[in-house]
């Protein structure tokens, strides 16, 4: 039989590519994107789409930002890659210096990796080996129910049990899952933690917003109380800011809402402005010193081929410069205020439940009468309806959300808000 060679991008893609979080047999046609500019992505037929989910929450300043592109181009012609074991370079050192100045004062060292999952893997290994290097074996880890920290095995282990992790459950390590804190359960959580504190290597959490769980939000004051208790119990804390970092919550980091400081922090997504993959794990001096030894077996044996890649570091530096500009900070404030005003309108709609917002993150549940579920079919219907309108929204089942890049104008956001209300009206009854 003769083989038919695919001719268009959709057909070629289908012949060779396997897409993430996609059931390929039943998936709709993949949309070929040929260009991005600012808030917009353009397909191969010239249609443009408003990327109000920042391409999986990574794009901070809009697509193809000229300043980031120019900085990467200049670095590409200088140094594109060098092994980071035994060598260093200016972009990595400068990025570490600048980032640490923005983080809680106890953050002292930077470890580079490739993405959010690997940033979490590094953090978990730091905590487990921290105990081991001191002659202790701690087997338990604390995490929140409904957590999501990534798709590698360590990250899956500390993520809430779900259909995503079910095939691998026998291979995941021991984790104690607890509820997110509130005024009613804090004392119970403290009692639960105290009973096992001596066995706990660390507590890992998404601060203020559990993104993949459906943009679940909880109070900074309650997290502070829980962190303070964990500190008293000498439990190390990993703050996963992969999603919440770099302005998403309305402040530079979710840490800026807290008085307590974590021992370790994880970053990715917006780190490079969405331009290139990179992960970062930062830690306190105390963590670092547990590995500082004449004993070579106390080394942190972890690394990636592209650790501290000069191009990614340069992209992160350029993105950080843009983020700290007064114009960007004003845009973040404006978007946050627009969301706050729209939430009041949204909350009154009969098709909406649990409208919520923090900073540039806005979310609500599409009322189905059956609670919330990632696998709710309404998500696919809503996704396609917004695509027809030139808006990219990727519902988490019946949970709708907006996480726009900071270049989104007031007029563009108003357009999205109007379309949300129109779609909600269409689905009534």
């Amino acid at each position: 039989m003769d083989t038919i060679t695919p001719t268009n991008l959709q057909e070629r893609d289908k012949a060779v590519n396997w897409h993430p979080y996609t059931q390929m047999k039943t998936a709709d046609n993949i949309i070929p994107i040929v260009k991005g500019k600012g808030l917009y992505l353009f397909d191969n037929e010239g249609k443009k789409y408003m990327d109000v989910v920042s391409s999986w929450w990574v794009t901070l300043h809009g697509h193809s930002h000229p300043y980031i592109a120019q900085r990467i181009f200049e670095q590409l012609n200088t140094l594109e890659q060098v092994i980071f074991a035994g060598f260093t370079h200016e972009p990595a050192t400068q990025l570490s210096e600048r980032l640490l100045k923005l983080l809680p004062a106890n953050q002292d060292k930077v470890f580079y990796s490739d993405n959010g999952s690997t940033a979490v893997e590094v953090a978990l290994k730091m905590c487990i080996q921290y105990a081991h290097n001191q002659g202790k074996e701690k087997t338990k880890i604390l995490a929140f129910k409904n957590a999501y920290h990534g798709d590698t095995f360590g990250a899956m282990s500390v993520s809430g049990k779900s259909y995503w992790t079910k095939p691998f459950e026998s291979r995941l390590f021991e984790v104690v899952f607890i509820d997110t804190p509130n005024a009613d359960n804090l004392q119970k959580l403290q009692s639960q933690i105290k009973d096992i504190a001596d066995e706990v290597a660390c507590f890992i959490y998404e601060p203020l917003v559990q993104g993949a769980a459906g943009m679940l939000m909880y109070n900074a004051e309650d997290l502070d109380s829980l962190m303070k208790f964990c500190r008293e119990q000498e439990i190390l804390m990993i703050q996963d800011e992969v999603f919440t970092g770099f302005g998403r919550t309305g402040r530079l980091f979710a840490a800026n809402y807290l008085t307590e400081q974590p021992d370790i922090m994880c970053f990715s997504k917006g780190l490079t402005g969405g331009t290139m993959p990179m992960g970062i794990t930062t830690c306190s001096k105390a963590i670092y010193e547990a590995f500082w030894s004449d004993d070579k077996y106390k080394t942190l044996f972890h690394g990636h081929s592209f650790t501290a890649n000069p191009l990614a570091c340069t992209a992160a530096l350029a993105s950080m410069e843009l983020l700290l500009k007064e114009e960007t900070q004003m845009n973040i404030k404006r978007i946050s205020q627009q969301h706050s005003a729209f939430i009041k309108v949204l909350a009154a709609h009969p098709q909406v439940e649990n409208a919520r917002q923090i900073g540039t993150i806005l979310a609500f549940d599409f009322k189905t009468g059956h609670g919330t579920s990632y696998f709710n079919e309404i998500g696919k219907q809503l996704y396609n309806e917004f695509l027809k309108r030139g808006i990219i929204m990727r519902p988490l089942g019946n949970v709708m959300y907006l996480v726009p890049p900071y270049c989104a104008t007031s007029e563009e956001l108003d357009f999205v808000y109007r379309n949300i209300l129109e779609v909600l009206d269409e689905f009534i009854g």
Side-chain angles (χ1 to χ4, degrees):
M1 180 183 291
D2 294 335
T3 300
I4 299 174
T5 303
T7 56
N8 66 46
L9 189 52
Q10 278 184 340
E11 292 173 346
R12 288 165 52 209
D13 174 273
K14 191 173 182 179
V16 297
N17 289 332
W18 190 345
H19 290 264
Y21 280 91
T22 302
Q23 175 46 260
M24 299 301 293
K25 183 175 182 179
T26 59
D28 293 332
N29 286 333
I30 299 295
I31 299 171
I33 297 298
V34 298
K35 187 177 76 169
K37 192 65 177 174
L39 180 64
Y40 296 93
L41 292 168
F42 300 82
D43 69 16
N44 59 337
E45 295 180 347
K47 182 174 180 178
K48 67 179 183 179
Y49 302 86
M50 304 174 82
D51 184 5
V52 295
V53 296
S54 295
S55 286
W56 244 343
W57 323 343
V58 303
T59 305
L60 294 190
H61 311 292
H63 294 281
S64 304
H65 195 285
Y67 180 67
I68 300 177
Q70 180 62 32
R71 288 285 300 276
I72 293 173
F73 174 76
E74 292 168 359
Q75 183 63 45
L76 185 59
N77 284 279
T78 304
L79 175 66
E80 87 299 347
Q81 168 66 3
V82 61
I83 182 175
F84 207 58
F87 297 87
T88 191
H89 52 82
E90 180 64 27
T93 303
Q94 191 177 127
L95 177 57
S96 296
E97 291 170 342
R98 293 186 181 181
L99 179 60
L100 289 173
K101 288 179 181 177
L102 301 175
L103 298 179
N106 70 331
Q107 297 300 291
D108 191 66
K109 289 292 187 292
V110 173
F111 194 99
Y112 288 95
S113 61
D114 296 350
N115 57 64
S117 293
T118 55
V120 167
E121 296 283 336
V122 171
L124 294 170
K125 290 177 73 172
M126 282 180 177
C127 290
I128 293 169
Q129 192 174 343
Y130 173 86
H132 177 82
N133 283 1
Q134 298 178 86
K136 304 173 183 177
E137 298 300 323
K138 296 192 174 186
T139 59
K140 290 182 170 61
I141 291 174
L142 283 174
F144 284 141
K145 296 174 183 176
N146 300 310
Y148 174 79
H149 296 285
D151 295 330
T152 49
F153 268 79
M156 277 196 299
S157 293
V158 294
S159 297
K161 298 297 178 281
S162 67
Y163 288 104
W164 304 346
T165 61
K166 190 172 181 60
F168 317 105
E169 282 184 4
S170 64
R171 298 291 184 262
L172 304 181
F173 53 70
E174 185 176 2
V175 176
V176 177
F177 290 99
I178 60 175
D179 293 320
T180 51
N182 58 53
D184 296 327
N185 70 8
L186 193 56
Q187 192 170 355
K188 179 182 177 181
L189 292 177
Q190 291 174 346
S191 176
Q192 185 179 354
I193 293 168
K194 190 171 184 177
D195 288 343
I196 58 171
D198 290 343
E199 304 172 72
V200 176
C202 60
F203 166 40
I204 184 169
Y205 55 92
E206 299 158 277
L208 310 187
V209 187
Q210 293 184 292
M215 300 298 170
L216 304 179
M217 300 182 187
Y218 63 103
N219 292 329
E221 295 81 3
D222 297 321
L223 178 58
D224 253 332
S225 296
L226 189 60
M227 290 174 69
K228 183 178 180 181
F229 181 79
C230 286
R231 177 73 64 214
E232 292 168 353
Q233 300 300 311
E234 299 183 347
I235 294 172
L236 297 178
M237 290 175 283
I238 302 171
Q239 188 152 304
D240 180 353
E241 295 236 20
V242 168
F243 172 40
T244 56
F246 306 101
R248 289 299 185 196
T249 63
R251 300 183 185 179
L252 282 181
F253 303 99
N256 297 123
Y257 288 89
L258 303 167
T259 56
E260 295 298 316
Q261 299 178 338
D263 300 281
I264 295 175
M265 299 181 74
C266 302
F267 306 94
S268 188
K269 289 198 182 291
L271 173 60
T272 67
T275 310
M276 302 187 75
M278 172 174 269
I280 278 180
T281 307
T282 65
C283 71
S284 67
K285 186 176 182 180
I287 299 288
Y288 182 75
E289 287 182 340
F291 295 80
W292 178 269
S293 175
D294 292 323
D295 183 351
K296 64 182 179 181
Y297 296 112
K298 290 189 176 181
T299 302
L300 178 62
F301 293 109
H302 193 100
H304 298 260
S305 301
F306 291 97
T307 293
N309 172 260
L311 300 177
C313 288
T314 299
L317 281 165
S319 177
M320 192 180 299
E321 289 174 28
L322 294 171
L323 178 64
L324 296 177
K325 282 181 175 289
E326 183 179 359
E327 178 185 358
T328 306
Q329 291 300 306
M330 292 302 293
N331 282 344
I332 291 172
K333 184 177 181 180
R334 171 183 52 78
I335 292 169
S336 301
Q337 290 173 342
Q338 277 190 262
H339 280 355
S340 294
F342 180 57
I343 277 284
K344 295 173 183 175
V345 177
L346 197 57
H349 197 283
Q351 202 67 55
V352 169
E353 291 180 310
N354 193 21
R356 53 204 181 272
Q357 178 240 344
I358 181 170
T360 68
I361 307 166
L362 179 151
F364 64 93
D365 300 345
F366 185 93
K367 191 181 294 185
T368 63
H370 304 290
T372 60
S373 169
Y374 180 84
F375 296 98
N376 195 304
E377 281 299 312
I378 195 68
K380 185 175 181 179
Q381 298 176 48
L382 293 168
Y383 173 72
N384 287 325
E385 180 58 36
F386 280 102
L387 278 183
K388 292 176 188 175
R389 295 164 178 260
I391 300 170
I392 299 175
M393 295 183 74
R394 187 178 169 84
L396 298 164
N398 62 309
V399 176
M400 305 292 293
Y401 67 89
L402 297 178
V403 186
Y406 307 144
C407 64
T409 67
S410 298
E411 293 75 20
E412 288 166 335
L413 287 177
D414 284 339
F415 175 82
V416 175
Y417 297 157
R418 286 197 302 274
N419 276 271
I420 289 174
L421 294 174
E422 288 175 9
V423 171
L424 289 172
D425 288 341
E426 289 178 7
F427 277 81
I428 289 179

